[in-house]
């Protein structure tokens, strides 16, 4: 997908609205539009990559930036006290629908097992 057509780049640019819950100079966290848990947040890097494999190949520092941001958020919001799940979907079988690398942060209630 072209960066100019990327819905998450448009959220970063403020062209598409979002409910932001975390931001620093590199990372943005916002609420997922279609939540799959009591708390369902998305964390994205402000530099566009398509998926986690491409990110790891071209800009692995982004992984640290993203996981630091999620650590900070889960500590500050006390989500770390109850626990949470971090998920990334890649490609067709993984169920990826937005092609800007993102991590789902899920919690706020006990979560079921995952898979099919
Ligand atoms: P994935 O299916 O793993 O690519 O995840 C994409 C996620 O983005 C889905 O959970 C969608 O509900 C979510 N999503 C799509 N558009 C928006 C939007 N404009 N604001 C917030 N979340 C969105
Ligand atoms: Zn993008």
């Amino acid at each position: 997908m072209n960066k100019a057509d990327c819905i998450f780049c448009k959220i970063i640019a403020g062209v598409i609205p979002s409910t932001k819950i975390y931001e620093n100079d590199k990372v943005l966290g916002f609420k997922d539009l279609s939540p799959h848990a009591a708390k369902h947040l998305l964390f994205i890097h402000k530099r566009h990559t398509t998926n986690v494999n491409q990110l790891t190949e071209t800009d692995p520092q982004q992984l640290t930036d993203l996981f630091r941001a999620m650590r900070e958020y889960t500590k500050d919001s006390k989500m770390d006290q109850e626990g949470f799940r971090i998920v990334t979907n890649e490609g067709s079988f993984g169920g990826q629908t937005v092609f800007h690398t993102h991590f789902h942060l899920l919690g706020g209630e006990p979560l079921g097992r995952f898979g099919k």
Side-chain angles (χ1 to χ4, degrees), residues 2-116:
N2 188 314
K3 192 175 173 245
D5 300 325
C6 172
I7 191 171
F8 285 177
C9 282
K10 287 181 180 166
I11 284 177
I12 292 162
V15 178
I16 292 178
S18 68
T19 307
K20 292 180 190 174
I21 49 85
Y22 178 93
E23 184 164 19
N24 67 24
D25 57 330
K26 294 171 183 154
V27 173
L28 183 66
F30 54 99
K31 289 189 179 175
D32 195 295
L33 263 189
S34 308
H36 285 267
K39 267 193 156 187
H40 186 171
L41 311 168
L42 298 172
F43 279 77
I44 61 177
H45 205 282
K46 293 184 178 178
R47 280 203 301 270
H48 177 95
T49 58
T50 301
N51 57 44
V52 77
N53 266 8
Q54 196 218 340
L55 178 158
T56 305
E57 175 78 25
T58 63
D59 200 357
Q61 175 61 39
Q62 286 195 26
L63 287 170
T64 306
D65 298 338
L66 283 158
F67 275 84
R68 280 214 175 110
M70 290 188 283
R71 176 183 174 277
E72 192 175 305
Y73 176 78
T74 53
K75 283 189 87 65
D76 289 353
S77 67
K78 305 205 184 319
M79 221 176 153
D80 64 334
Q81 294 179 8
E82 292 174 329
F84 54 85
R85 179 176 294 160
I86 294 170
V87 173
T88 192
N89 298 323
E90 172 144 342
S92 164
F93 277 17
Q96 186 177 7
T97 59
V98 176
F99 294 88
H100 180 125
T101 311
H102 53 280
F103 288 97
H104 299 257
L105 177 64
L106 300 143
E109 62 183 337
L111 301 172
R113 301 303 302 170
F114 59 90
K116 278 190 186 180

